[in-house]
Amino acid sequence: MKSSFALLTMAGLSLGTSALAQTRDTMSIGVSIEPPGLDPTRSPSEAIGTITYNNVFEGLTRLDRDGHVQPLLARAWTVSDEGRVYHFTLQENVHFHDGTPLTCENVRFSLLRAGATSSTNPDRTFFTNIADVSCPDTTHADITLKKAHGSFTYELTWNDASILSPSSADKNASHPIGTGPFLFQAWQRGDHVTLFRNPDYWGKAPELKAVTFRFMPDPLAASNALLAGELDAYPSFPAPEILGRFAGNPNLKVVRGTFPFKAILALNNARRPFNDLRVRQALAYAIDRKALIQAGADGDGTVLQSHMAPNDPDYAALPDRYPYNPERARELLKEAGIKPGTQLTLSYPPITYARDTSEIVAAYLEQVGLIVTLQPLEWPSWLGRVFGQGSFDMTVIAHTEPHDIGIYDRDNIYFHYKNPQFHELFEQYEASDNAEDRHRLSVALQDRLAQDEPNVFLYSRPRDTVLNRRISGLWIDQQIAACPMADVTWQP
Amino acid sequence: MMTNLASAISGRLVVLTVASVIVFALLNLLPGDPATVMLGLDASPDSIAALHHQLGLDVSPATRYVRWISGLLHGEAGTSYAYDVPVRGLIFERFQSTLPLILLATGLALLIGLPTGAIAATHRGKGLDLAVMATLQFLKSIPDFWLAMMMTLLFSLTLHWFPAGGFTGWNAGFFTGLRALFLPTVALAIPQAAITARFMRSSLIDVLNQDFIRTARAQGYSGKGVLWKVAIPNALIPVLTLIGIQLPVLVTGAIIVESVFNIPGCGKLLLEAVNQRDIPVVQNLVMLIVAGVLLLNLALSIVVRWLDPRLAGERA
Amino acid sequence: MTRLRTNRSLIAGSALLLACLVPATLTWIWRSGRSPLIDIAHRYAPISFSHPLGTDPFGRDIASYVLTGAFNSTVIAVIAVTLATVIGTALGLVAAYGGVRGKAVMSTADLGLAFPPILIAAMLVTAQGASATGEILAIALFGIPAQIRITRQAAHSILVLDYIAAARMAGLNSIDTILRHVLPNIAPILIVHASTSLALALLSEAGLSYLGLGAPPPQPDLGRTLASYQIHIFDHPLLVAIPGVTVMVLVLGFNLLGDGLRDLLERPFNRLKGQPS
């Protein structure tokens, strides 16, 4: 019996080592969420970006690993008419994975489709600012905006601004076709997506022949797979409390980076009692946000004062307006006429940080006399009920989109914040193309939110990537939901 | 015999039909619109109506039920809301790990359970029997998911004998696949083995107490011969019935074990579908499991009747 | 009385259950049903007088958290088994009388055989979201068919006894027969079955809530507690061991209690069945 066990193990080991001895040209990456489809123009799911951004799909511009806008399918551009018209020169000899060539018509199709009334694009409101796209010839595209927009080329880097082919655009959810360095190969639902190197890529060919994104939502299972060598890397590892398992492992390392993670306690500003500023401030005073960081990020994180993460170039380290003070919270609640024992509902999506943070927040609110009912929701219900219809009391969620303070100016935003001063400032910010002005206005916007506390801003935390020591080129900071693999290589 | 068989089959068909109505009603007649979930917040009424039509939600529940059943009879199981691909393919993919897991575990459970039960029965009342019975009582009381966790901790994370979870299919090689399924199989088999052993013990004791065995022994036939040729085969027949009754428990165990070991099988698909509110997947997978359980149950009861002439006259 | 003293299963089972359920109930009453306080400053506190098993990642007292969970899990199991016993016994008695109604009941029981609790719970959660009611319903529905079979068999063996047949011929109606003769006589069988059903129901409860198909938070229960502590299996293995052992102690307790009760109660019943006329 004992010897047969040994034989089995030996067989497994020898298989493993013989595979290692060869130069590796494949890589398997762990991700925590399986996307609902692979079409970035149909769902805001972060997981779509992780798999497809600049791997399968490409836009006119791209973000580099430091967060700067770089040319991609657009080689160069000029701006005229006081920032209202953009003249793009396209890369030549670009083909989609199904062989169709890239022309200006594709740009026209993709951007107008994204802003159309029937569009399901998550950022449709941004694209509605495009008045027209005209094609002087196949390699030039002229985009006319309705209003000047200082950050237009930045927003063109988004995955939902990818350039698509009309022949395949409607089938991208299950079989994505783009112009990127990797081709979609297979998707085994519930397990993995495989991408193969694009042999006809227009740019520098990637070194990896195949990349597999494996869906591993359970951090324990993911850590086991990493330790066993079944996974090569796990960007944005979801459980800081077990990173210690990788310490001392000869093959693995943990690298700490940043990402625009903003955990908030979102409040329904259209509903009583959250339409009262004193109540929102009371909630902020009632919660010990440093303790949340202790429990939710194992002590490593930053208390947020506004809707901007510390890795953002426009981030302002504002003073802590609402330090933990349950006494002050009780006073404010009393002033606002909220009786002890008032019932509130806190809904949250099925992710570890949201569940843990919600439980702790509920405990803190209970200490100032509020009774909180916790309501766990599955993703479809959270997206439909909370994010979609804005029908909720409170919810814990982390916004991970970069530079998204503009959502506080949207009409249909789920937390129903409306403030004329914020709106005015944001209009000025949007219209400006002077970097200094934009920064000043951005700080003013952050400060406006901190005063108004439409949501209780909780914390931001660093992003930990667990990876094989021989891997180089992987993004450590997350500028946008992405895991571009073209420059990733195995070191000898 | 034939009429009995016919009535057994028709009885199961009625049960299956009622089950399908229950499954359909539970999942389709409650509030909530899958189209708004799929298209998201800003979807126009036009695109929602189009999707309703595409999903076949624009007709009455009765028509939908009939469509569902006739589709199933033609091997079509609709489209997953979450993945937008045919449910049939999703389920088929997952069966490649679930079916081997269940078969291996059943085999292992019998391999351990039957001899253990037989040994306990032949040593009835002695120390060995008491020790076996106590152990079985203990094993029966361990929650299977906890047992699975403890086994991972010991065998894969401390001793590194087996992978800690995951199953990448049979393409990586038969032995790699088998090795990945080893711990899940054992975790699934142990509670089943305990139940089988207890049942085998009492079944064999019953048979050994029956008159014909006593007579045979009194007439001088050797104890061992009687045991192997007469008693054990007779004791095995009720055990087959037990396997039929235990099938739902086995299914439950498989779903839990797949979840703990992160095996992409039907159980994990079911739980994922529940979390995504993917009604077509839940509906068809539940129906498939129910049909499978009923079918196997029927098959076993036919085998039992064929083996045991005493039951031939009884109602199905 | 002497039998009671030598009935080791009964004694061991009761002892295990008392050892677990008495402190669980006291904790529940003491905290008036609320889960222990979150206290982030004192997370992972070591074993001490005020925290007999230390504190968890949220700074909650592990002992009282797990005991509250044990209480909640047991309550769900008890409600589910009570429902299954009442409904199953009623239907089983109908079945014992035979006829068209009896046949209909037995076919329904066949139906139940194909639906393990996990499938019922999966459908209910998909349609309505997780709830304690759904979990209880799922466990109870699965228990009913077995209860019907056992009641029918036991009641049948009483109904065929000569003196019952004579009483019925003398004009005793079915309700009176059931209340005066059948139920008192089959009660021991029902009690034994209820005890082993509780063991099974607790295992189901733990499994369902481990998978997220059980009652939703914040009320702790053993399965969900295990699921949320699972990630600490390496750095704090006690967190995983304690709730697991608690489930095991409860299940073993009910199983042993069932065995003990069988020895104590079923022998008189069997003697009754074999009574010479």
Side-chain angles (χ1 to χ4, degrees):
Chain A
M1 194 63 188
K2 203 174 178 183
S3 63
S4 71
F5 270 134
L7 267 176
L8 268 177
T9 348
M10 296 267 286
L13 278 177
S14 64
L15 272 175
T17 42
S18 66
L20 272 178
Q22 297 159 6
T23 0
R24 299 193 56 180
D25 51 8
T26 64
M27 201 173 281
S28 63
I29 308 283
V31 292
S32 57
I33 306 177
E34 176 165 16
L38 291 169
D39 183 350
T41 68
R42 243 172 79 170
S43 158
S45 167
E46 208 186 317
I48 300 176
T50 308
I51 296 171
T52 63
Y53 187 76
N54 288 6
N55 289 330
V56 177
F57 293 118
E58 294 178 320
L60 291 175
T61 56
R62 69 177 176 97
L63 273 189
D64 66 13
R65 64 177 70 234
D66 302 316
H68 300 123
V69 178
Q70 302 287 353
L72 190 60
L73 291 179
R75 230 165 7 146
W77 58 87
T78 55
V79 189
S80 68
D81 292 48
E82 292 165 334
R84 279 185 56 243
V85 184
Y86 284 73
H87 309 272
F88 289 98
T89 309
L90 303 183
Q91 284 287 353
E92 283 168 42
N93 291 323
V94 178
H95 289 86
F96 286 91
H97 300 149
D98 61 359
T100 42
L102 173 89
T103 69
C104 169
E105 285 304 324
N106 296 108
V107 177
R108 190 181 146 78
F109 165 78
S110 307
L111 298 184
L112 293 185
R113 173 180 181 264
T117 38
S118 62
S119 162
T120 53
N121 197 296
D123 290 306
R124 187 180 147 253
T125 41
F126 160 69
F127 295 99
T128 50
N129 189 32
I130 296 176
D132 192 31
V133 181
S134 63
C135 295
D137 58 57
T138 54
T139 54
H140 286 87
D142 295 340
I143 302 178
T144 311
L145 303 181
K146 291 176 183 158
K147 279 189 299 184
H149 190 73
S151 54
F152 183 60
T153 51
Y154 169 79
E155 277 135 1
L156 283 180
T157 65
W158 291 344
N159 205 26
D160 54 22
S162 294
I163 302 305
L164 312 170
S165 159
S167 56
S168 54
D170 291 338
K171 294 180 278 278
N172 277 342
S174 56
H175 194 106
I177 298 240
T179 55
F182 289 94
L183 321 153
F184 170 79
Q185 167 65 21
W187 179 0
Q188 170 148 27
R189 265 79 183 176
D191 203 59
H192 65 263
V193 164
T194 308
L195 307 179
F196 277 7
R197 177 165 62 202
N198 177 3
D200 305 317
Y201 186 54
W202 59 270
K204 183 176 151 284
E207 288 202 13
L208 293 173
K209 209 163 76 185
V211 178
T212 304
F213 289 94
R214 283 187 65 191
F215 313 124
M216 305 217 98
D218 175 12
L220 196 63
S223 64
N224 291 341
L226 281 161
L227 288 168
E230 293 157 22
L231 272 184
D232 299 315
Y234 200 119
S236 215
F237 192 78
E241 60 266 46
I242 57 168
L243 285 174
R245 284 192 75 192
F246 307 111
N249 184 292
N251 299 321
L252 297 170
K253 61 177 175 180
V254 180
V255 184
R256 179 149 284 190
T258 61
F259 71 145
F261 180 98
K262 299 165 291 270
I264 61 172
L265 172 68
L267 308 171
N268 190 337
N269 283 249
R271 239 184 226 183
R272 283 191 336 134
F274 311 107
N275 55 356
D276 188 330
L277 173 65
R278 289 168 299 188
V279 174
R280 301 197 299 268
Q281 290 176 327
L283 297 186
Y285 277 122
I287 300 166
D288 183 352
R289 290 171 288 173
K290 290 204 180 79
L292 283 184
I293 294 173
Q294 272 300 323
D298 224 30
D300 277 306
T302 314
V303 170
L304 286 180
Q305 310 300 338
S306 188
H307 197 91
M308 185 127 357
N311 74 329
D312 196 298
D314 279 337
Y315 173 78
L318 300 169
D320 191 354
R321 259 176 228 269
Y322 309 104
Y324 178 50
N325 188 344
E327 261 323 297
R328 183 83 189 102
R330 275 187 220 107
E331 280 168 30
L332 279 166
L333 286 174
K334 203 173 168 194
E335 274 176 41
I338 306 298
K339 294 192 182 70
T342 299
Q343 301 250 5
L344 301 170
T345 306
L346 172 51
S347 326
Y348 57 91
I351 338 173
T352 319
Y353 74 76
R355 188 194 65 210
D356 290 357
T357 306
S358 297
E359 272 197 49
I360 302 171
V361 163
Y364 277 119
L365 297 189
E366 216 162 279
Q367 283 174 16
V368 297
L370 301 169
I371 293 175
V372 179
T373 310
L374 289 173
Q375 183 184 46
L377 296 174
E378 329 78 57
W379 273 120
S381 300
W382 190 88
L383 285 168
R385 221 182 296 171
V386 179
F387 195 74
Q389 296 161 13
S391 145
F392 70 107
D393 275 1
M394 309 186 279
T395 187
V396 167
I397 186 73
H399 285 253
T400 52
E401 300 81 6
H403 218 77
D404 60 346
I405 202 166
I407 60 173
Y408 288 78
D409 191 48
R410 286 195 185 167
D411 285 335
N412 56 354
I413 192 66
Y414 67 102
F415 42 77
H416 306 292
Y417 173 66
K418 256 197 177 37
N419 181 296
Q421 290 155 296
F422 184 89
H423 176 72
E424 202 176 300
L425 276 171
F426 191 69
E427 292 274 281
Q428 292 175 26
Y429 170 80
E430 286 277 276
S432 158
D433 54 4
N434 175 304
E436 246 170 69
D437 279 350
R438 283 177 71 86
H439 178 72
R440 185 180 50 77
L441 286 163
S442 173
V443 173
L445 285 169
Q446 292 171 56
D447 192 53
R448 183 72 251 161
L449 288 187
Q451 287 176 43
D452 246 6
E453 201 73 0
N455 300 317
V456 182
F457 302 106
L458 300 175
Y459 64 93
S460 181
R461 64 171 165 86
R463 176 182 194 256
D464 296 303
T465 296
V466 185
L467 74 168
N468 189 300
R469 289 173 190 273
R470 289 170 51 226
I471 295 177
S472 83
L474 207 63
W475 279 24
I476 300 303
D477 297 331
Q478 177 181 308
Q479 306 297 349
I480 190 168
C483 184
M485 296 302 292
D487 297 330
V488 177
T489 55
W490 283 107
Q491 295 299 309
Chain B
M1 181 86 186
M2 283 313 285
T3 52
N4 269 326
L5 190 63
S7 83
I9 293 174
S10 66
R12 293 288 146 78
L13 274 179
V14 171
V15 169
L16 200 59
T17 313
V18 177
S20 72
V21 174
I22 295 175
V23 169
F24 182 83
L26 268 181
L27 289 168
N28 288 271
L29 302 181
L30 294 160
D33 183 357
T36 47
V37 167
M38 280 172 87
L39 290 180
L41 25 153
D42 291 336
S44 66
D46 283 352
S47 46
I48 287 189
L51 188 63
H52 272 162
H53 181 71
Q54 193 196 326
L55 297 175
L57 295 177
D58 52 349
V59 292
S60 75
T63 320
R64 268 154 62 198
Y65 174 75
V66 172
R67 277 191 196 166
W68 175 46
I69 295 298
S70 69
L72 273 185
L73 293 177
H74 291 93
E76 286 303 324
T79 307
S80 154
Y81 290 168
Y83 291 123
D84 203 16
V85 295
V87 173
R88 192 176 61 166
L90 281 180
I91 293 180
F92 180 75
E93 250 173 30
R94 304 303 184 94
F95 253 95
Q96 297 175 7
S97 46
T98 300
L99 209 60
L101 178 64
I102 286 186
L103 291 179
L104 286 171
T106 309
L108 188 63
L110 293 178
L111 208 66
I112 301 171
L114 294 179
T116 314
I119 291 168
T122 49
H123 293 75
R124 190 184 177 192
K126 295 190 190 133
L128 184 63
D129 178 34
L130 293 178
V132 167
M133 288 303 284
T135 314
L136 294 180
Q137 185 68 277
F138 186 70
L139 288 178
K140 220 178 71 175
S141 306
I142 302 181
D144 36 14
F145 59 94
W146 193 66
L147 179 70
M149 276 155 72
M150 291 297 133
M151 281 171 53
T152 333
L153 183 60
L154 178 62
F155 292 110
S156 36
L157 302 172
T158 312
L159 297 172
H160 302 286
W161 285 357
F162 299 98
F167 174 73
T168 43
W170 298 102
N171 296 335
F174 180 71
F175 278 102
T176 317
L178 210 58
R179 207 170 144 239
L181 287 185
F182 185 84
L183 284 186
T185 302
V186 175
L188 185 55
I190 284 181
Q192 294 295 318
I195 294 166
T196 313
R198 280 171 67 96
F199 202 80
M200 180 65 189
R201 175 181 174 272
S202 59
S203 172
L204 189 55
I205 287 173
D206 274 357
V207 173
L208 289 175
N209 280 338
Q210 270 168 21
D211 291 344
F212 68 97
I213 301 279
R214 292 194 189 161
T215 316
R217 285 196 160 154
Q219 285 174 353
Y221 287 97
S222 84
K224 278 213 167 127
V226 172
L227 184 69
W228 282 105
K229 291 203 180 113
V230 187
I232 287 184
N234 270 293
L236 280 176
I237 295 170
V239 173
L240 275 182
T241 314
L242 172 87
I243 295 173
I245 295 172
Q246 282 294 312
L247 276 173
V249 180
L250 191 68
V251 167
T252 309
I255 293 173
I256 290 174
V257 162
E258 278 182 8
S259 162
V260 178
F261 284 99
N262 200 32
I263 293 170
C266 287
K268 219 171 142 243
L269 178 65
L270 180 71
L271 294 173
E272 284 162 10
V274 169
N275 282 330
Q276 310 248 25
R277 296 214 160 180
D278 195 343
I279 292 172
V281 173
V282 175
Q283 182 171 329
N284 288 293
L285 199 51
V286 168
M287 202 57 225
L288 193 76
I289 294 172
V290 169
V293 167
L294 284 173
L295 206 73
L296 272 171
N297 207 306
L298 177 69
L300 281 170
S301 71
I302 291 171
V303 172
V304 167
R305 212 169 315 184
W306 176 67
L307 286 175
D308 189 350
R310 279 173 301 170
L311 287 173
E314 237 181 62
R315 197 193 139 270
Chain C
M1 195 60 210
T2 41
R3 201 163 56 231
L4 186 64
R5 210 171 297 145
T6 55
N7 191 328
R8 271 176 294 188
S9 294
L10 191 70
I11 293 167
S14 317
L16 285 177
L17 288 176
L18 286 176
C20 194
L21 290 178
V22 167
T25 313
L26 289 179
T27 309
W28 194 85
I29 293 171
W30 171 55
R31 297 275 317 137
S32 42
R34 283 174 308 161
S35 70
L37 283 180
I38 286 178
D39 180 5
I40 304 297
H42 296 99
R43 51 207 301 253
Y44 302 120
I47 290 170
S48 68
F49 183 71
S50 51
H51 300 298
L53 294 171
T55 63
D56 76 355
F58 286 2
R60 286 178 295 223
D61 178 54
I62 294 175
S64 52
Y65 192 65
V66 171
L67 284 172
T68 312
F71 182 87
N72 290 333
S73 294
T74 311
V75 166
I76 285 178
V78 167
I79 297 176
V81 169
T82 310
L83 266 178
T85 307
V86 171
I87 298 171
T89 306
L91 290 175
L93 289 170
V94 173
Y97 272 92
V100 180
R101 270 182 299 176
K103 276 196 178 141
V105 167
M106 290 317 286
S107 310
T108 320
D110 274 353
L111 184 71
L113 272 184
F115 279 105
I118 204 161
L119 293 189
I120 299 172
M123 288 192 289
L124 286 174
V125 172
T126 311
Q128 300 265 278
S131 72
T133 324
E135 189 184 17
I136 290 171
L137 211 62
I139 300 173
L141 282 177
F142 184 62
I144 289 174
Q147 185 71 36
I148 292 179
R149 274 160 208 282
I150 281 166
T151 310
R152 170 176 166 260
Q153 211 180 355
H156 192 74
S157 64
I158 299 293
L159 286 173
V160 296
L161 292 178
D162 286 351
Y163 78 97
I164 304 279
R168 286 171 74 187
M169 256 187 300
L172 191 68
N173 69 28
S174 359
I175 305 268
D176 282 337
T177 317
I178 287 172
L179 289 181
R180 276 199 222 153
H181 297 289
V182 180
L183 272 183
N185 280 316
I186 65 170
I189 302 272
L190 301 185
I191 292 170
V192 170
H193 183 68
S195 182
T196 40
S197 300
L198 274 172
L200 207 61
L202 260 169
L203 276 180
S204 297
E205 199 284 333
L208 288 178
S209 56
Y210 172 78
L211 295 175
L213 301 175
Q219 280 296 322
D221 64 42
L222 293 172
R224 191 151 33 72
T225 303
L226 252 172
S228 64
Y229 286 166
Q230 191 176 354
I231 191 166
H232 297 287
I233 192 163
F234 298 98
D235 43 352
H236 300 89
L238 264 187
L239 282 175
V240 181
I242 292 166
V245 170
T246 312
V247 179
M248 217 170 71
V249 166
L250 284 171
V251 175
L252 192 61
F254 281 117
N255 271 331
L256 288 174
L257 188 70
D259 280 2
L261 288 174
R262 182 172 295 126
D263 286 351
L264 190 70
L265 299 173
E266 279 194 8
R267 263 184 224 151
F269 175 79
N270 290 335
R271 217 177 303 136
L272 176 73
K273 276 201 301 183
Q275 209 173 31
S277 48

